Amino acid sequence: MANRGEIALRVMRSAREMGIATVAVYSEADRKSPHVRYADEAVCIGPPASSQSYLRGEKIIEVCKRLGVDGIHPGYGFLSENADFARMVKAAGITFIGPSAEAMEMMGSKLAAKATAKAHNIPLVPGTAEAVTDTAVAAQIAAEIGFPVLIKASAGGGGKGMRIVERAEEFEEQLNLAVSEATSAFGDGSVFIERYVGSPRHIEIQVMADNHGNCIYLFERECSIQRRHQKVVEEAPSAVLTPELRREMGECAVRIAKACNYSGAGTVEFLLDENHRFYFLEMNTRLQVEHPVTEMITGVDLVKEQIRVARGETLSVQQENLSINGHAIEIRVYAEDPANGFLPDIGRLNVYRLPEGNGVRVDGGFEEGMDVPIYYDPMLSKLIVHAENREEAIRGMIRAIDDYRISGVQTTLGFCRFVMQHPAFTSGNFDTHFVKHFFKPEYLKPTLSEQEEVIGALMAAYLRSSVTAKAQSPQENQSTVSRWKERRKAYR
Ligand code: MV4
């Protein structure tokens, strides 16, 4: 398992269910992490910094050879979309649980991906299909597309290397900036131009392909609720897709996957405009953070499918046997302070109790008492709720958020609760600008500081002791139990 935290645990759980022994690798910062304990074997691969541990492909392969490992699951992030790593793994005689290096490279280049999509009649946002080089030609094209336009870096993705240009006068300057930025950030200055879609929804299709010519789509995930390209809430299905649109987008996604001879789990991203026209954006060649919502509505374990495919087996499900069961919502619980610009809030999880019960799934990698390390993504867990329909899923999510107990760090729980209750969200009528348009930090009542909680607890204990001293029976005692915790609950 060439990863850490929640995704390492998530993958190893499925491996264990399949009777497959696992090896964890870990950094010095993760010695005591649950993923290390969960694995059958674990090997320390270096200091805390990712560049000295989880990104050291050669070191990881060396460990695998030493322990006789058959396959490497890269999770998401780190080495998961690194074509060179996939190639090295294969050359070492180890199975990379993911697509080929070639498929990764094709989709890693947004221009190559667009060219492939175009060749297969997949709708694209009007714009250039090749890299723009000549400034004058580019300005001409931008004028033809019509402002505002978006300049995107071919090597970018996930919002990196994007620039909106509102007016023709700004175009040349912005283009030059985009090229030099792309050159320094990605070592590839290729950029292209697209019409700027002003109020899009981000809808992505999960695909799964085996090495026997089978490729299926597992419907969509709606990921429009994001903040600075960081997804916050994901759900499946989308509140706005019709069965026809769903099938059309699904079939396009399968065509893209087949066009790059795809193998394993992948995600094809689309923009959906105000008129519900969809456009291919890019393909992510990994298992995504938000994959659980798809698992909840389809009943398919995507990790098990990945492993089956990597072993050379066929997919366990066929398209005609897939259907959508209910509704699933995922929120990402981050150790970040929404009242303070979502700055990572590191610290110790003094209290950490997970919600449970009806329809609740938590994919996490933290336990009470653990420190949130500064070296990695501060995501504490993914809270997923599955219910009969969207309304019930939202209610279930609010209940689960309220049952989640965290103290020691600020988290995005209250922010997610705000989203769940917002009319734009509950109505299903929102776009990628939701957070920017509707959220203000003032909307969240501040949680009490740790000192305030201690003072509150002491006062409650004192009051209770003076009351219980007078109480005559255990029953009476019970009825005088303080409700201070309920009263102090934030975000109400
Ligand atoms: C766009 C767009 C509007 N018009 N392309 C951002 C991530 C990258 N995958 C593509 N992105 C966008 N491309 C055109 N022609 C708006 C975005 C975009 C966005 C897309 C999906 C989810 C969130 C987003 C937030 C800001 C911008």
Side-chain angles (χ1 to χ4, degrees), residues 125-126 150 152 157-160 162 194-198 200-202 223-224 226 228-229 231 269-271 281-282 432-433:
V125 185
L150 205 52
K152 295 185 178 180
K160 277 178 254 151
M162 280 186 8
E194 285 180 358
R195 196 187 85 216
Y196 177 63
V197 180
R201 298 174 77 111
H202 172 125
C223 307
S224 300
Q226 52 83 45
R228 301 196 180 174
H229 303 292
K231 291 168 188 162
E269 290 185 13
F270 294 96
L271 280 186
L281 270 188
E282 52 192 76
T432 56
H433 303 299

Side-chain angles (χ1 to χ4, degrees), residues 375-413:
Y375 306 99
Y376 317 106
D377 183 84
M379 191 173 78
L380 295 176
S381 75
K382 306 182 301 203
L383 171 55
I384 305 117
V385 171
H386 181 227
E388 194 80 353
N389 56 47
R390 190 167 188 269
E391 207 183 315
E392 288 300 309
I394 292 172
R395 286 171 188 275
M397 181 60 83
I398 292 172
R399 188 275 293 175
I401 289 172
D402 289 344
D403 286 355
Y404 214 139
R405 289 280 182 279
I406 304 177
S407 116
V409 297
Q410 296 295 325
T411 76
T412 51
L413 274 174

Side-chain angles (χ1 to χ4, degrees), residues 18 209-212 214 263 304-316:
M18 295 171 85
D210 65 22
N211 303 322
H212 302 272
N214 304 301
S263 168
K304 285 184 185 167
E305 290 302 313
Q306 285 186 299
I307 295 172
R308 279 195 195 102
V309 167
R311 280 171 161 177
E313 295 167 22
T314 56
L315 295 177
S316 77

Side-chain angles (χ1 to χ4, degrees), residues 251 327 358 395 448:
E251 285 171 359
H327 198 96
N358 238 351
R395 286 171 188 275
L448 298 183

Side-chain angles (χ1 to χ4, degrees), residues 240-257:
V240 293
L241 288 203
T242 60
E244 295 74 39
L245 195 52
R246 177 170 294 124
R247 180 147 49 79
E248 230 184 299
M249 291 177 78
E251 285 171 359
C252 280
V254 166
R255 283 219 296 289
I256 291 266

Side-chain angles (χ1 to χ4, degrees), residues 197-307:
V197 180
S199 307
R201 298 174 77 111
H202 172 125
I203 297 197
E204 57 186 34
I205 308 284
Q206 177 70 53
V207 296
M208 195 79 220
D210 65 22
N211 303 322
H212 302 272
N214 304 301
C215 184
I216 58 174
Y217 63 90
L218 296 101
F219 314 111
E220 77 278 9
R221 290 186 290 262
E222 158 77 66
C223 307
S224 300
I225 308 287
Q226 52 83 45
R227 194 193 141 266
R228 301 196 180 174
H229 303 292
Q230 169 91 264
K231 291 168 188 162
V232 179
V233 176
E234 301 107 342
E235 59 180 313
S238 161
V240 293
L241 288 203
T242 60
E244 295 74 39
L245 195 52
R246 177 170 294 124
R247 180 147 49 79
E248 230 184 299
M249 291 177 78
E251 285 171 359
C252 280
V254 166
R255 283 219 296 289
I256 291 266
K258 285 189 167 166
C260 63
N261 202 10
Y262 203 79
S263 168
T267 296
V268 182
E269 290 185 13
F270 294 96
L271 280 186
L272 191 72
D273 72 12
E274 300 92 325
N275 304 313
H276 291 188
R277 266 194 290 267
F278 67 90
Y279 310 98
F280 169 73
L281 270 188
E282 52 192 76
M283 180 171 187
N284 299 318
T285 57
R286 60 172 188 275
L287 183 73
Q288 301 221 151
V289 176
E290 59 272 27
H291 76 275
V293 291
T294 300
E295 296 186 319
M296 302 315 277
I297 63 153
T298 60
V300 175
D301 183 322
L302 291 170
V303 172
K304 285 184 185 167
E305 290 302 313
Q306 285 186 299
I307 295 172

